[in-house]
């Protein structure tokens, strides 16, 4: 239930209401404004028995075969949730760090704890070196003494606290350092009425996420498994699910959204999604298409040579919010931004106040999630709110444009209302600001469907490629097919024009493979000879 000290004081003598405990000295939470809920925490250890288990891999690729493959693929699912005030056991940050040693072997030995501590130290040193490469400053190494100081800090979550008996929106936060890297974010959001899930996506052959297109797809499979397990919890509203992600996990989130429209929003919290490299990985996926991504997105980013919002401008069917914190760096939006108070310059010296940057960014994250999945009415970038943020550099918004119906709907519309309806939808979308209403891949799929006993005289396919040419006049492929189907319906003058267009464009068309380029060239020349 919500904490309500004042209410309890009024009626404590009448009905014996228990006054909530005195607020604890939660130094880790800094000046974050916590919500009305106490926060519970639990860990679910489970297996995907449809896949084999994998060995543990450190960041360098060294394997530790501490697993039993036949038990299934290992999942440690960390859950923070709104809880009854005063219930559950207090825990320190050490609880989250030690769980790092139980990703592939669910035991809890002293050896695993020591391994988790050493891994945390090495990874913190590694992240610091990466950050320094961006900032150009220097730092002292993070040591075991520094870690011991952090391990003793009490966290906000209470272990196995009693859940509030309501359903709450769900936020999934995948990260390779779960739960130790993003626990503050998770506790903060849970206090504001979210069930927050953290897990570590794995690779095909080890616990390490593979930085490749296949690696992203495997991580999405992990995401879907975790989401399925979460859906079994009684306190989750599965119609309100969002993703928050950092680093390459933001691209895992985008890949997941492209496959599952159950996911309603994405926060790239200093993620790699707005980079040419990760967009390149995503573009190799057959699922990653602008038409498949309509969930609103918030991009929080800093000055980094690889990050530029322009790499996400093609996601035109989603509302996109951009907030730049120029004096921060990538890992500041993990717990490290708040750890600077305890271990100064833990990731190197920054121009800005990392704690303040973390807190302000998380205020934006909460406003965004509240607006998009939790019925909030406050605008994400409301002017008075933004004016009070000292570490925020700039913001802007790109509004969505009308998205086309999916191919199943367009097939149904054709069968019920004819091709005039397909043209009407195209025109309506274009008038609404979508200058290329149907994606290029759509034309191939739709023409193949029309060819099966629906367009024996080629008329509809010729009309289809009239639309395709209208959207993509510089495409050799669109010109070729418009020419071919024009020839089939006896419009030879139009066929000649577009065959010639195709030949003039074919060599420099970036969308063509070598074999397709050769085919268009040969068939265009052959058909021109036949017409003449």
């Amino acid at each position: 239930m919500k904490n309500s000290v004042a209410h309890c004081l009024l009626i404590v003598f009448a009905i014996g209401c228990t006054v909530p405990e005195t607020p604890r000295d939660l130094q880790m939470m800094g000046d974050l404004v916590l919500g009305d809920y106490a926060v519970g925490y639990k860990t679910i250890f489970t297996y995907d028995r449809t896949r084999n288990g994998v060995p543990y891999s450190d960041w360098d690729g060294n394997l530790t075969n501490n697993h039993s493959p036949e038990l299934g693929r290992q999942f440690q699912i960390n859950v923070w949730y709104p809880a009854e005030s005063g219930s559950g056991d207090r825990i320190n940050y050490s609880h989250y760090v030690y769980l790092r040693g139980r990703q592939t072997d669910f035991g809890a030995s002293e050896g695993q704890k020591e391994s988790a501590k050493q891994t945390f130290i090495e990874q913190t040193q590694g992240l610091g070196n990466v950050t320094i490469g961006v900032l150009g400053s220097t730092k002292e190494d993070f040591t075991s003494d520094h870690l011991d100081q952090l391990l003793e800090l009490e966290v906000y979550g209470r272990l196995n606290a009693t859940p509030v008996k309501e359903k709450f929106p769900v936020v999934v936060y995948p990260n390779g350092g779960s739960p130790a890297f993003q626990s503050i974010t998770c506790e903060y959001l849970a206090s504001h009425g979210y069930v927050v899930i953290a897990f570590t996506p794995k690779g095909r052959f080890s616990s390490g996420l593979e930085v490749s297109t296949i690696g992203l797809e495997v991580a999405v499979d992990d995401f879907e498994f975790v989401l399925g397990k979460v859906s079994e919890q009684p306190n989750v509203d599965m119609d309100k699910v969002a993703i928050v992600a950092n680093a390459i996990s933001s691209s895992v989130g985008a890949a997941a959204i492209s496959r599952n429209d159950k996911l309603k929003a994405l926060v790239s919290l200093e993620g790699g999604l707005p980079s040419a490299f990760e967009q390149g990985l995503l573009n190799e996926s057959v699922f990653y298409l602008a038409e498949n991504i309509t969930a609103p997105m918030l991009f929080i980013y800093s000055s980094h040579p690889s990050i530029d919002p322009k790499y996400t401008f093609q996601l035109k069917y989603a509302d996109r919010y951009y907030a730049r914190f120029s004096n921060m760096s990538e890992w500041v939006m993990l717990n490290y931004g708040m750890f600077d108070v305890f271990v100064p310059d833990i990731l190197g010296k920054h121009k800005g106040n990392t704690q303040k940057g973390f807190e302000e960014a998380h205020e934006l994250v909460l406003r965004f999630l509240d607006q998009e999945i939790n019925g909030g009415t406050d605008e994400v970038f409301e002017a008075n709110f933004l004016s009070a943020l000292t570490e925020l550099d700039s913001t802007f918004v790109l509004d969505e444009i009308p998205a086309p119906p999916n191919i199943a709907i367009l097939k149904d519309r054709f069968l019920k209302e004819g091709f005039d309806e397909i043209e009407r939808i195209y025109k309506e979308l274009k008038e609404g600001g979508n200058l290329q209403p149907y994606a290029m891949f759509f034309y191939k799929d739709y023409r193949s469907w029309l060819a099966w006993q629906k367009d024996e005289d080629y008329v509809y396919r010729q009309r289809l490629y009239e639309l395709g040419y209208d959207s993509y006049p510089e495409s050799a492929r669109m010109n070729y097919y418009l020419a071919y189907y024009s020839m089939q319906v006896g419009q030879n003058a139009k066929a000649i024009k577009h065959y010639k267009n195709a030949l003039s464009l074919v060599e420099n068309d970036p969308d063509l493979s070598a074999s397709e380029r050769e085919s268009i060239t040969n068939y265009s020349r052959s058909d021109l000879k036949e017409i003449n």
Side-chain angles (χ1 to χ4, degrees), residues 308-323:
D308 193 318
K310 70 181 182 182
Y311 296 120
T312 58
F313 287 178
Q314 83 281 7
L315 303 177
K316 58 188 179 181
Y317 300 120
D319 285 329
R320 288 145 292 162
Y321 298 80
Y322 298 86

Side-chain angles (χ1 to χ4, degrees), residues 133-315:
V134 175
L135 299 179
S137 60
T138 59
K139 68 179 288 295
E140 297 295 328
D141 272 344
F142 182 79
T143 67
S144 58
D145 289 340
H146 292 137
L147 177 57
D148 287 342
Q149 182 183 356
L150 297 177
L151 295 180
E152 295 175 359
L153 295 172
E154 186 177 348
V155 301
Y156 190 51
R158 286 290 195 95
L159 185 62
N160 297 325
T162 304
V164 173
K165 293 181 180 179
E166 298 177 28
K167 290 186 180 294
F168 296 95
V170 177
V171 175
V172 184
Y173 193 157
N175 186 277
S178 300
F181 278 7
Q182 76 274 49
S183 60
I184 296 175
T185 301
C186 298
E187 291 174 340
Y188 171 68
L189 293 176
S191 79
H192 285 277
Y194 291 87
V195 174
V196 189
I197 311 299
F199 78 100
T200 296
K202 298 178 176 65
R204 288 173 292 173
F205 310 117
S206 75
S207 65
L209 174 66
E210 297 172 44
V211 183
S212 66
T213 302
I214 292 176
L216 293 179
E217 295 296 346
V218 172
V220 172
D221 291 340
D222 285 356
F223 183 100
E224 293 287 348
F225 176 83
V226 169
L227 200 61
K229 286 294 180 182
V230 171
S231 72
E232 299 170 1
Q233 302 298 308
N235 59 341
V236 298
D237 184 346
M238 294 304 292
D239 290 324
K240 298 177 179 179
V241 183
I243 304 169
V244 174
N246 175 272
I248 195 171
S249 290
S250 63
S251 290
V252 174
I257 284 176
S258 72
R259 286 167 52 172
N260 186 349
D261 58 9
K262 193 81 172 173
L263 306 172
K264 303 302 183 185
L266 169 65
V267 177
S268 174
L269 188 58
E270 282 285 7
L273 181 58
S275 70
F277 175 73
E278 291 189 27
Q279 286 295 319
L281 297 181
L282 287 163
N283 286 329
E284 292 297 315
S285 168
V286 295
F287 297 103
Y288 188 71
L289 303 165
E291 289 75 9
N292 294 341
I293 301 174
T294 58
M297 291 176 279
L298 169 63
F299 296 90
I300 291 177
Y301 62 104
S302 60
S303 299
H304 191 287
S306 298
I307 299 297
D308 193 318
K310 70 181 182 182
Y311 296 120
T312 58
F313 287 178
Q314 83 281 7
L315 303 177

